[in-house]
Amino acid sequence: MTSVELRKQFLAFFAAPARRHTVVPSDALIPSGDPTVLFTSAGMNQFKDYFTGRRTDLSRAASCQKCLRTGDLEQVGKTAFHHSFFEMLGNFSFGDYFKAEAIRWAWEFLTGTLDVKGTPSPDRGLCLALPAKKLWVSVYEQDEEALALWRALGMPEDRIRRFGQADNFWPANAPANGPNGPCGPCSEIYFDADGAVQGQRSVEVWNLVFTQFDRQSDGSLKPLPRKGIDTGMGLERLAAVMQGVETSYDTDLFRRVIKAIRSGRTKKTRDDRESTNRAIADHVRALTFMVAEGV
């Protein structure tokens, strides 16, 4: 499945009558009306006013957001999935549905089934067909609700992991260290080509964030009156999974760019290695989108 098909299928799944999400175009890389960040770094950036309740004309949304992050630059090219520019598939709820729907729909889209037993989805044509035996999930160690929901879907106990706030809370370590404001536990879905749990080939494909608390200055977590859902699934990672390759640099999103870089770098030097080719490809891709937006 091509990256173009993945974009279209994800948005069509959430726009379908059973889920009724409004498909919102990607915001610019320079955020509109948000001076707090230099670049758009997540799908939720353009929806901040909806999460805070300042806008109420939208209750459900889905998007494929162009993102730019500089925090992982040292890892770009060296790992299988770190990028500076990437696209984030996401579905969002602003005081509407919550954990049960977010978990159920994520499973349905990835597998084409309604539960781990394999009950077919009525929207199978809009779903992927990842095998259940190659998926495992994590939940925040104190989130009994999310744990119960995964169990209700039929997820075996040995394919569920409970992690602390560093891994399964957003922002990371917010209960202990802040920042103050909206936050919540998350549940992550992993794919492992070997069917292992926490194996060497496990890759996180989807993060489901349950925004349900307002952290106070004294460190307490006050329940939000309007709970929200903020999910993010990297298109590059999903493309690698669906195309059966080991890294996102081997997908159709990068293949032709890296081929051109290899053919152009004819002088053999100490730095003429694959990690360098990947880093160049990533940065060229990021710069192309930045130039296109006038940066």
Side-chain angles (χ1 to χ4, degrees), residues 221-282:
L221 299 178
K222 180 180 178 181
L224 284 169
R226 283 168 48 90
K227 298 176 182 178
I229 291 294
D230 164 20
T231 85
M233 177 161 55
L235 176 66
E236 292 78 6
R237 293 187 183 197
L238 184 62
V241 168
M242 294 304 298
Q243 293 172 21
V245 295
E246 292 191 0
T247 80
S248 52
Y249 294 99
D250 299 312
T251 67
D252 61 343
L253 290 161
F254 284 92
R255 201 173 295 129
R256 288 186 296 173
V257 177
I258 290 181
K259 181 179 179 180
I261 292 169
R262 286 174 182 157
S263 64
R265 303 184 74 213
T266 55
K267 184 178 180 181
K268 298 296 180 183
T269 69
R270 194 160 56 98
D271 290 328
D272 190 13
R273 54 185 181 265
E274 196 58 25
S275 62
T276 307
N277 293 336
R278 291 175 176 178
I280 293 171
D282 172 272

Side-chain angles (χ1 to χ4, degrees), residues 165-166 169-184 215 219 221:
Q165 58 182 273
F169 209 92
W170 191 257
N173 284 320
N177 304 324
N180 296 333
C183 59
R215 188 186 191 275
L221 299 178

Side-chain angles (χ1 to χ4, degrees), residues 43-59:
M44 61 80 62
N45 285 166
Q46 69 167 315
F47 300 116
K48 282 186 177 180
D49 285 349
Y50 291 100
F51 279 113
T52 59
R54 286 193 291 267
R55 293 189 62 177
T56 58
D57 56 301
L58 196 61
S59 60

Side-chain angles (χ1 to χ4, degrees), residues 13 18-19 108 112-114 119-127:
F13 175 82
R19 287 157 291 278
E108 183 179 358
T113 64
L114 299 178
T119 306
S121 163
D123 285 331
R124 274 179 296 176
L126 299 175
C127 302

Side-chain angles (χ1 to χ4, degrees), residues 60-111:
R60 302 181 179 190
S63 69
C64 181
Q65 175 64 51
K66 297 174 292 183
C67 299
L68 191 69
R69 292 183 185 175
T70 58
D72 295 324
L73 282 180
E74 294 302 318
Q75 300 301 317
V76 171
K78 299 176 183 177
T79 68
F81 299 108
H82 279 100
H83 299 290
S84 56
F85 173 87
F86 60 94
E87 294 179 76
M88 185 71 79
L89 301 166
N91 59 289
F92 308 90
S93 168
F94 317 113
D96 190 343
Y97 64 86
F98 199 44
K99 293 181 188 180
E101 294 87 349
I103 288 173
R104 184 174 72 246
W105 289 337
W107 182 264
E108 183 179 358
F109 177 72
L110 290 175
T111 66

